[in-house]
Amino acid sequence: MSDPTELDYDTCLVECHASSESFSAFQQSGERIHLHNAIRHAQTALSKSSSEWPGGIKLSILLTLAGLFSDVYNQSFDPASLGKTIKYSQEAVDLTPVGDADRASWLSNLSAHLSIRYEREGKLEDLTQAIEYSQEAVDLTPADSPDRAKQLNNFSAHLNSRYKREGKLEDLTQAIEYSQGALDLTPADSPHRAIQLNNFSAHLSRRYEREGKPEDLTQAIEYSQEAVDLTPADSPDRANQLNSLSVHLSTRYEREGNLEDLTQAIEYSQEAVDLTPVGNPDRAGQLTNLSVRWSRRYEREGRLEDLKQAIDYSQEAVDLTPVGNPDRAARLNSLSIHLSRRYEREGKLEDLTQAIEYSQEAVDLTPADSSDRANQLNSLSVHLNRRYEKVGKLEDLTQAIEHSQEAVDLTPVGNPERAARLNSLSIHLSRRYERERKLEDLTQAIEYSQEAVNLTPIGNPNRAAELDNLSSHLCTRYEREGKLEDLTQVIENGRNALKCLNSPPSQRLHGCILAIYFLGPIAKVARSTRDVE
């Protein structure tokens, strides 16, 4: 009679071979039944395997299962499949001794899967673990290892994710340092250099958003352009590189108002879409980004056909994104913004109604602890405020304030989005003051608006708009209370807005005009004071 261990070993090898054959059939045909057969055979092989067997058979099976379930997730976005991917990846890491040369690679893979789940579900513990495992992978990878650049790049991406969530500048600073390290280790002729350049440009762009230093944006565009130039026309990575470059150019357009930047951004974004075939999971994201570019041109030139294209592309992106896909909420949010903009133009209430419905769905799809929830809530509050202005129902304004307040509460101090969300909240409270004349609403509006200004660095392009909004609230309080110090601050805000060289000229001038308007009353008070003396 045969030894049960020998029988298990033979069965394990047979099932491993069957799994491999099924996976090959899946690669050739694309039929999912073969992928599921490959998983079934691999799971049977795992049940028969032993970690005591030589040759790392059990470890190999665990890694195979992690890869197979990752393929299932990439096709279906089924969270259970992602959970299995993480489970088997974790078991593979646990089975690999600390001194093993491959441990760093398995840790890096596990951190990548945890990061994907974090992006989907927003659970901070997943991101924290991803950072810990990625840090260990970096520490285990020698300085002269060809894998070190990859480990540094992955670690920088995870730190960037935490920066987006918590707004801690040290995370962004470290992300830039590690990304720079990865780039320095990547030779000019390496096929990986374009990806490293693209990632580094993204970090620099984010620091520009935080600090408003034009040199960061200039460098981001230069590195991104180099990434595009290094990527062959038939490379599957080219669409992603073009999309990133279009984002940076669009950002520079928003700063400097140079139409050729926006035109180029649209061209690159359109090329990215054209390179991404129907059926490719990246197409919906490319369409969303292209829709934003067209929306920007509509804002500039006022052509309704540009806005229509933005809506059409955004609607297609939503239609391509199934329920359960973690990106659906963000794409619904973008579509709601475009529809709300068309409502502003044409005044059709059905556009605003749809915008609110899509925005509400985006909020409902976003977990309570997701870093994206604050953004979705803020958009919904803006749409509800618009409907309040149209219909006059107090419950719309009340909901707008509640959602806006929640968005602020979810945005920690240090997060670059906090100022914009405080600004929105101050506007909603000001609207309620106009309706109910409660001084506490106006007082809060001024406090939130002042905090938004304080959080917006001098070089940030949004600073003039924040100052302008604060001045508007102060003017309202002056009309109520007649305090000269409010007008004095309005004038000071106007001067400061004029100094915001990175802000759009229209926003700088509006604050200045408001200040000039109130110079008359102040001069009149000053003359009256001298007459009394």
Side-chain angles (χ1 to χ4, degrees):
M1 189 171 179
S2 299
D3 186 339
T5 303
E6 291 180 6
L7 286 174
D8 286 346
Y9 187 82
D10 291 341
T11 301
C12 179
L13 292 183
V14 168
E15 293 294 335
C16 284
H17 179 73
S19 177
S20 179
E21 290 290 312
S22 295
F23 185 68
S24 295
F26 165 70
Q27 288 181 308
Q28 292 172 9
S29 68
E31 296 179 10
R32 292 190 187 182
I33 184 65
H34 297 303
L35 181 57
H36 290 292
N37 284 339
I39 289 173
R40 179 170 54 82
H41 288 301
Q43 286 178 322
T44 302
L46 182 64
S47 70
K48 299 294 183 181
S49 67
S50 170
S51 57
E52 297 177 1
W53 290 350
I57 292 176
K58 184 169 185 176
L59 175 61
S60 178
I61 297 169
L62 287 167
L63 292 170
T64 296
L65 280 166
L68 291 171
F69 274 108
S70 180
D71 287 338
V72 172
Y73 174 74
N74 290 333
Q75 289 195 344
S76 65
F77 297 103
D78 171 32
S81 296
L82 181 57
K84 290 282 189 181
T85 302
I86 292 169
K87 173 183 180 293
Y88 289 123
S89 289
Q90 182 70 66
E91 289 181 21
V93 166
D94 294 342
L95 203 58
T96 307
V98 173
D100 192 292
D102 291 323
R103 182 173 171 86
S105 293
W106 311 154
L107 284 163
S108 183
N109 291 342
L110 176 55
S111 73
H113 300 319
L114 286 164
S115 180
I116 290 170
R117 189 166 69 182
Y118 164 73
E119 294 293 338
R120 178 188 177 108
E121 300 179 1
K123 294 179 180 176
L124 187 57
E125 57 263 33
D126 280 337
L127 181 58
T128 301
Q129 273 198 307
I131 290 172
E132 289 174 1
Y133 288 138
S134 193
Q135 176 73 71
E136 185 181 347
V138 168
D139 294 342
L140 289 173
T141 306
D144 58 351
S145 169
D147 292 331
R148 186 166 176 85
K150 174 189 170 184
Q151 311 292 19
L152 288 167
N153 187 65
N154 291 345
F155 188 39
S156 74
H158 303 325
L159 289 168
N160 184 53
S161 293
R162 189 166 67 184
Y163 166 74
K164 286 194 291 183
R165 170 142 185 169
E166 300 184 346
K168 294 179 180 176
L169 188 58
E170 57 263 35
D171 279 336
L172 181 57
T173 302
Q174 273 198 306
I176 291 172
E177 289 174 1
Y178 284 120
S179 189
Q180 179 74 69
L183 190 59
D184 293 343
L185 289 171
T186 307
D189 59 350
S190 169
H192 303 299
R193 185 168 176 83
I195 293 175
Q196 310 287 19
L197 285 163
N198 190 58
N199 292 341
F200 188 47
S201 74
H203 301 327
L204 289 170
S205 180
R206 192 144 280 126
R207 187 167 68 184
Y208 164 75
E209 292 169 5
R210 169 78 177 241
E211 299 183 346
K213 295 178 180 176
E215 57 266 31
D216 279 336
L217 182 56
T218 300
Q219 274 197 308
I221 292 171
E222 290 173 359
Y223 286 128
S224 191
Q225 182 68 65
E226 186 181 349
V228 168
D229 295 342
L230 286 173
T231 307
D234 59 350
S235 169
D237 294 325
R238 186 171 174 85
N240 186 48
Q241 321 291 26
L242 286 163
N243 185 66
S244 295
L245 179 55
S246 79
V247 171
H248 303 326
L249 288 167
S250 182
T251 301
R252 188 167 69 183
Y253 162 75
E254 291 171 17
R255 174 195 171 98
E256 299 179 358
N258 192 332
L259 187 58
E260 65 195 60
D261 278 337
L262 181 58
T263 300
Q264 271 198 309
I266 291 172
E267 289 174 1
Y268 288 136
S269 193
Q270 183 68 64
E271 186 181 347
V273 168
D274 294 342
L275 287 172
T276 310
V278 176
N280 186 309
D282 292 334
R283 184 172 172 85
Q286 311 289 17
L287 285 163
T288 297
N289 292 331
L290 179 57
S291 77
V292 174
R293 305 287 93 78
W294 282 111
S295 181
R296 290 286 180 272
R297 194 165 77 174
Y298 165 74
E299 292 169 3
R300 167 84 178 231
E301 301 187 344
R303 295 177 184 170
L304 193 58
E305 58 265 32
D306 286 342
L307 182 56
K308 184 181 183 302
Q309 277 201 292
I311 292 170
D312 289 345
Y313 285 130
S314 193
Q315 183 68 66
E316 185 182 348
V318 168
D319 294 341
L320 287 173
T321 309
V323 175
N325 186 309
D327 294 321
R328 183 171 173 85
R331 289 166 190 165
L332 284 164
N333 189 58
S334 290
L335 178 55
S336 77
I337 292 170
H338 301 325
L339 288 166
S340 183
R341 193 153 282 137
R342 188 166 68 183
Y343 161 76
E344 289 181 282
R345 167 79 175 247
E346 299 187 337
K348 294 179 180 177
L349 191 57
E350 57 263 34
D351 277 336
L352 184 56
T353 301
Q354 264 201 310
I356 292 171
E357 288 174 1
Y358 287 137
S359 192
Q360 183 66 64
E361 185 181 348
V363 169
D364 294 341
L365 287 173
T366 307
D369 59 353
S370 169
S371 57
D372 293 329
R373 186 170 175 85
N375 187 49
Q376 323 293 24
L377 286 163
N378 189 67
S379 295
L380 179 56
S381 75
V382 171
H383 304 328
L384 287 166
N385 183 59
R386 266 193 196 122
R387 189 165 69 182
Y388 164 73
E389 292 171 352
K390 171 82 173 183
V391 179
K393 290 184 179 178
L394 185 58
E395 56 263 39
D396 280 338
L397 181 57
T398 301
Q399 275 196 308
I401 292 171
E402 289 174 358
H403 290 317
S404 191
Q405 182 69 65
E406 186 181 350
V408 168
D409 294 342
L410 287 171
T411 309
V413 175
N415 187 304
E417 298 296 329
R418 184 171 172 87
R421 289 164 191 165
L422 284 162
N423 191 56
S424 292
L425 178 55
S426 76
I427 291 170
H428 303 329
L429 287 165
S430 179
R431 291 285 178 278
R432 190 166 67 184
Y433 167 76
E434 292 168 6
R435 170 138 181 177
E436 301 185 344
R437 311 298 293 178
K438 292 180 179 176
L439 185 59
E440 58 263 34
D441 280 337
L442 181 57
T443 301
Q444 271 198 308
I446 292 171
E447 289 174 359
Y448 287 136
S449 192
Q450 182 66 66
E451 185 182 349
V453 169
N454 295 343
L455 288 174
T456 307
I458 291 174
N460 191 295
N462 296 324
R463 185 171 172 85
E466 313 287 8
L467 286 163
D468 187 36
N469 189 48
L470 174 58
S471 291
S472 176
H473 301 326
L474 289 167
C475 287
T476 301
R477 189 167 67 182
Y478 170 75
E479 291 168 1
R480 172 165 178 152
E481 299 185 346
K483 292 181 180 177
L484 194 60
E485 55 261 36
D486 283 337
L487 289 192
T488 302
Q489 194 176 350
V490 168
I491 293 171
E492 184 63 25
N493 288 347
R495 289 176 180 150
N496 290 332
L498 200 58
K499 296 174 185 176
C500 295
L501 302 181
N502 298 335
S503 299
S506 60
Q507 293 175 354
R508 295 168 59 205
L509 287 172
H510 188 271
C512 188
I513 290 169
L514 195 63
I516 292 171
Y517 176 80
F518 281 106
L519 278 172
I522 286 184
K524 183 177 180 180
V525 171
R527 285 196 300 271
S528 298
T529 302
R530 285 197 299 272
D531 290 343
V532 170
E533 291 174 350

mmCIF file of all heavy atoms in Angstrom, residues 346-369:
data_model
loop_
_atom_site.group_PDB
_atom_site.id
_atom_site.type_symbol
_atom_site.label_atom_id
_atom_site.label_comp_id
_atom_site.label_asym_id
_atom_site.label_seq_id
_atom_site.Cartn_x
_atom_site.Cartn_y
_atom_site.Cartn_z
ATOM 1 N N GLU A 346 -28.410 76.631 -19.033
ATOM 2 C CA GLU A 346 -29.712 76.573 -19.697
ATOM 3 C C GLU A 346 -30.896 76.656 -18.747
ATOM 4 O O GLU A 346 -32.030 76.873 -19.184
ATOM 5 C CB GLU A 346 -29.804 75.287 -20.525
ATOM 6 C CG GLU A 346 -28.740 75.199 -21.622
ATOM 7 C CD GLU A 346 -28.918 74.021 -22.538
ATOM 8 O OE1 GLU A 346 -29.564 73.027 -22.109
ATOM 9 O OE2 GLU A 346 -28.440 74.067 -23.675
ATOM 10 N N GLY A 347 -30.634 76.434 -17.463
ATOM 11 C CA GLY A 347 -31.704 76.573 -16.483
ATOM 12 C C GLY A 347 -32.712 75.445 -16.466
ATOM 13 O O GLY A 347 -33.798 75.595 -15.885
ATOM 14 N N LYS A 348 -32.373 74.308 -17.104
ATOM 15 C CA LYS A 348 -33.305 73.176 -17.125
ATOM 16 C C LYS A 348 -33.194 72.397 -15.823
ATOM 17 O O LYS A 348 -32.149 71.815 -15.519
ATOM 18 C CB LYS A 348 -33.012 72.270 -18.318
ATOM 19 C CG LYS A 348 -33.285 72.936 -19.665
ATOM 20 C CD LYS A 348 -32.941 71.996 -20.817
ATOM 21 C CE LYS A 348 -33.202 72.658 -22.164
ATOM 22 N NZ LYS A 348 -32.795 71.780 -23.289
ATOM 23 N N LEU A 349 -34.298 72.351 -15.097
ATOM 24 C CA LEU A 349 -34.283 71.741 -13.777
ATOM 25 C C LEU A 349 -33.965 70.252 -13.842
ATOM 26 O O LEU A 349 -33.371 69.696 -12.903
ATOM 27 C CB LEU A 349 -35.634 71.956 -13.076
ATOM 28 C CG LEU A 349 -35.684 71.606 -11.585
ATOM 29 C CD1 LEU A 349 -34.641 72.387 -10.805
ATOM 30 C CD2 LEU A 349 -37.084 71.856 -11.027
ATOM 31 N N GLU A 350 -34.300 69.585 -14.970
ATOM 32 C CA GLU A 350 -34.013 68.142 -15.066
ATOM 33 C C GLU A 350 -32.514 67.858 -15.022
ATOM 34 O O GLU A 350 -32.084 66.809 -14.522
ATOM 35 C CB GLU A 350 -34.645 67.531 -16.322
ATOM 36 C CG GLU A 350 -34.229 68.160 -17.644
ATOM 37 C CD GLU A 350 -35.214 69.194 -18.148
ATOM 38 O OE1 GLU A 350 -35.811 69.888 -17.292
ATOM 39 O OE2 GLU A 350 -35.389 69.295 -19.383
ATOM 40 N N ASP A 351 -31.707 68.795 -15.544
ATOM 41 C CA ASP A 351 -30.252 68.611 -15.448
ATOM 42 C C ASP A 351 -29.803 68.659 -13.989
ATOM 43 O O ASP A 351 -28.976 67.845 -13.546
ATOM 44 C CB ASP A 351 -29.514 69.691 -16.248
ATOM 45 C CG ASP A 351 -29.420 69.364 -17.728
ATOM 46 O OD1 ASP A 351 -29.499 68.170 -18.077
ATOM 47 O OD2 ASP A 351 -29.263 70.295 -18.537
ATOM 48 N N LEU A 352 -30.318 69.605 -13.242
ATOM 49 C CA LEU A 352 -29.945 69.730 -11.838
ATOM 50 C C LEU A 352 -30.479 68.548 -11.037
ATOM 51 O O LEU A 352 -29.790 68.025 -10.141
ATOM 52 C CB LEU A 352 -30.487 71.038 -11.262
ATOM 53 C CG LEU A 352 -30.090 71.355 -9.817
ATOM 54 C CD1 LEU A 352 -28.576 71.360 -9.656
ATOM 55 C CD2 LEU A 352 -30.680 72.699 -9.392
ATOM 56 N N THR A 353 -31.688 68.101 -11.363
ATOM 57 C CA THR A 353 -32.265 66.932 -10.676
ATOM 58 C C THR A 353 -31.395 65.703 -10.899
ATOM 59 O O THR A 353 -31.109 64.953 -9.963
ATOM 60 C CB THR A 353 -33.696 66.664 -11.184
ATOM 61 O OG1 THR A 353 -34.500 67.822 -10.937
ATOM 62 C CG2 THR A 353 -34.302 65.464 -10.475
ATOM 63 N N GLN A 354 -30.969 65.507 -12.164
ATOM 64 C CA GLN A 354 -30.097 64.367 -12.465
ATOM 65 C C GLN A 354 -28.756 64.499 -11.749
ATOM 66 O O GLN A 354 -28.205 63.522 -11.249
ATOM 67 C CB GLN A 354 -29.865 64.266 -13.974
ATOM 68 C CG GLN A 354 -30.790 63.284 -14.679
ATOM 69 C CD GLN A 354 -30.211 62.834 -16.010
ATOM 70 O OE1 GLN A 354 -29.797 63.663 -16.818
ATOM 71 N NE2 GLN A 354 -30.192 61.537 -16.239
ATOM 72 N N ALA A 355 -28.235 65.730 -11.731
ATOM 73 C CA ALA A 355 -26.961 65.969 -11.050
ATOM 74 C C ALA A 355 -27.054 65.563 -9.585
ATOM 75 O O ALA A 355 -26.147 64.914 -9.046
ATOM 76 C CB ALA A 355 -26.566 67.440 -11.176
ATOM 77 N N ILE A 356 -28.147 65.922 -8.949
ATOM 78 C CA ILE A 356 -28.335 65.569 -7.531
ATOM 79 C C ILE A 356 -28.468 64.061 -7.363
ATOM 80 O O ILE A 356 -27.896 63.470 -6.438
ATOM 81 C CB ILE A 356 -29.555 66.310 -6.950
ATOM 82 C CG1 ILE A 356 -29.253 67.816 -6.868
ATOM 83 C CG2 ILE A 356 -29.941 65.760 -5.584
ATOM 84 C CD1 ILE A 356 -30.452 68.665 -6.519
ATOM 85 N N GLU A 357 -29.217 63.415 -8.275
ATOM 86 C CA GLU A 357 -29.391 61.959 -8.183
ATOM 87 C C GLU A 357 -28.048 61.236 -8.332
ATOM 88 O O GLU A 357 -27.730 60.321 -7.564
ATOM 89 C CB GLU A 357 -30.368 61.488 -9.259
ATOM 90 C CG GLU A 357 -31.819 61.886 -8.985
ATOM 91 C CD GLU A 357 -32.752 61.530 -10.135
ATOM 92 O OE1 GLU A 357 -32.271 60.955 -11.139
ATOM 93 O OE2 GLU A 357 -33.959 61.825 -10.036
ATOM 94 N N TYR A 358 -27.261 61.635 -9.344
ATOM 95 C CA TYR A 358 -25.954 60.997 -9.548
ATOM 96 C C TYR A 358 -25.020 61.276 -8.368
ATOM 97 O O TYR A 358 -24.264 60.401 -7.935
ATOM 98 C CB TYR A 358 -25.318 61.494 -10.841
ATOM 99 C CG TYR A 358 -25.950 60.952 -12.097
ATOM 100 C CD1 TYR A 358 -26.194 61.787 -13.188
ATOM 101 C CD2 TYR A 358 -26.295 59.612 -12.218
ATOM 102 C CE1 TYR A 358 -26.771 61.295 -14.357
ATOM 103 C CE2 TYR A 358 -26.878 59.116 -13.382
ATOM 104 C CZ TYR A 358 -27.117 59.962 -14.438
ATOM 105 O OH TYR A 358 -27.672 59.471 -15.589
ATOM 106 N N SER A 359 -25.069 62.500 -7.876
ATOM 107 C CA SER A 359 -24.208 62.874 -6.759
ATOM 108 C C SER A 359 -24.593 62.110 -5.492
ATOM 109 O O SER A 359 -23.727 61.668 -4.726
ATOM 110 C CB SER A 359 -24.303 64.381 -6.525
ATOM 111 O OG SER A 359 -23.313 64.837 -5.652
ATOM 112 N N GLN A 360 -25.897 61.939 -5.276
ATOM 113 C CA GLN A 360 -26.357 61.173 -4.116
ATOM 114 C C GLN A 360 -25.922 59.717 -4.230
ATOM 115 O O GLN A 360 -25.485 59.092 -3.241
ATOM 116 C CB GLN A 360 -27.880 61.247 -4.005
ATOM 117 C CG GLN A 360 -28.461 60.543 -2.783
ATOM 118 C CD GLN A 360 -28.059 61.193 -1.467
ATOM 119 O OE1 GLN A 360 -28.423 62.334 -1.205
ATOM 120 N NE2 GLN A 360 -27.312 60.473 -0.635
ATOM 121 N N GLU A 361 -26.006 59.163 -5.454
ATOM 122 C CA GLU A 361 -25.561 57.778 -5.657
ATOM 123 C C GLU A 361 -24.068 57.652 -5.380
ATOM 124 O O GLU A 361 -23.616 56.665 -4.794
ATOM 125 C CB GLU A 361 -25.868 57.321 -7.087
ATOM 126 C CG GLU A 361 -25.531 55.845 -7.321
ATOM 127 C CD GLU A 361 -25.801 55.373 -8.742
ATOM 128 O OE1 GLU A 361 -26.450 56.096 -9.522
ATOM 129 O OE2 GLU A 361 -25.340 54.253 -9.080
ATOM 130 N N ALA A 362 -23.312 58.666 -5.793
ATOM 131 C CA ALA A 362 -21.872 58.652 -5.530
ATOM 132 C C ALA A 362 -21.591 58.622 -4.032
ATOM 133 O O ALA A 362 -20.721 57.879 -3.557
ATOM 134 C CB ALA A 362 -21.214 59.873 -6.173
ATOM 135 N N VAL A 363 -22.334 59.425 -3.274
ATOM 136 C CA VAL A 363 -22.180 59.434 -1.807
ATOM 137 C C VAL A 363 -22.557 58.075 -1.228
ATOM 138 O O VAL A 363 -21.846 57.513 -0.387
ATOM 139 C CB VAL A 363 -23.037 60.548 -1.174
ATOM 140 C CG1 VAL A 363 -23.099 60.391 0.343
ATOM 141 C CG2 VAL A 363 -22.488 61.925 -1.545
ATOM 142 N N ASP A 364 -23.668 57.520 -1.702
ATOM 143 C CA ASP A 364 -24.141 56.240 -1.174
ATOM 144 C C ASP A 364 -23.163 55.105 -1.461
ATOM 145 O O ASP A 364 -23.070 54.135 -0.688
ATOM 146 C CB ASP A 364 -25.508 55.891 -1.774
ATOM 147 C CG ASP A 364 -26.608 56.858 -1.329
ATOM 148 O OD1 ASP A 364 -26.408 57.548 -0.318
ATOM 149 O OD2 ASP A 364 -27.652 56.923 -2.011
ATOM 150 N N LEU A 365 -22.428 55.214 -2.569
ATOM 151 C CA LEU A 365 -21.474 54.169 -2.955
ATOM 152 C C LEU A 365 -20.123 54.304 -2.247
ATOM 153 O O LEU A 365 -19.292 53.404 -2.325
ATOM 154 C CB LEU A 365 -21.233 54.191 -4.469
ATOM 155 C CG LEU A 365 -22.361 53.679 -5.359
ATOM 156 C CD1 LEU A 365 -22.024 53.944 -6.830
ATOM 157 C CD2 LEU A 365 -22.595 52.190 -5.138
ATOM 158 N N THR A 366 -19.934 55.435 -1.575
ATOM 159 C CA THR A 366 -18.633 55.709 -0.970
ATOM 160 C C THR A 366 -18.665 55.380 0.523
ATOM 161 O O THR A 366 -19.442 55.981 1.265
ATOM 162 C CB THR A 366 -18.255 57.194 -1.171
ATOM 163 O OG1 THR A 366 -18.353 57.514 -2.574
ATOM 164 C CG2 THR A 366 -16.846 57.459 -0.705
ATOM 165 N N PRO A 367 -17.838 54.424 0.984
ATOM 166 C CA PRO A 367 -17.850 54.039 2.400
ATOM 167 C C PRO A 367 -17.596 55.231 3.326
ATOM 168 O O PRO A 367 -16.937 56.208 2.934
ATOM 169 C CB PRO A 367 -16.700 53.022 2.494
ATOM 170 C CG PRO A 367 -16.533 52.503 1.108
ATOM 171 C CD PRO A 367 -16.868 53.645 0.200
ATOM 172 N N ALA A 368 -18.115 55.129 4.524
ATOM 173 C CA ALA A 368 -18.020 56.237 5.483
ATOM 174 C C ALA A 368 -16.579 56.615 5.798
ATOM 175 O O ALA A 368 -16.286 57.782 6.089
ATOM 176 C CB ALA A 368 -18.759 55.865 6.771
ATOM 177 N N ASP A 369 -15.660 55.640 5.734
ATOM 178 C CA ASP A 369 -14.268 55.930 6.073
ATOM 179 C C ASP A 369 -13.382 56.090 4.839
ATOM 180 O O ASP A 369 -12.157 56.088 4.931
ATOM 181 C CB ASP A 369 -13.685 54.855 6.993
ATOM 182 C CG ASP A 369 -13.745 53.457 6.367
ATOM 183 O OD1 ASP A 369 -14.353 53.316 5.283
ATOM 184 O OD2 ASP A 369 -13.195 52.522 6.966
#
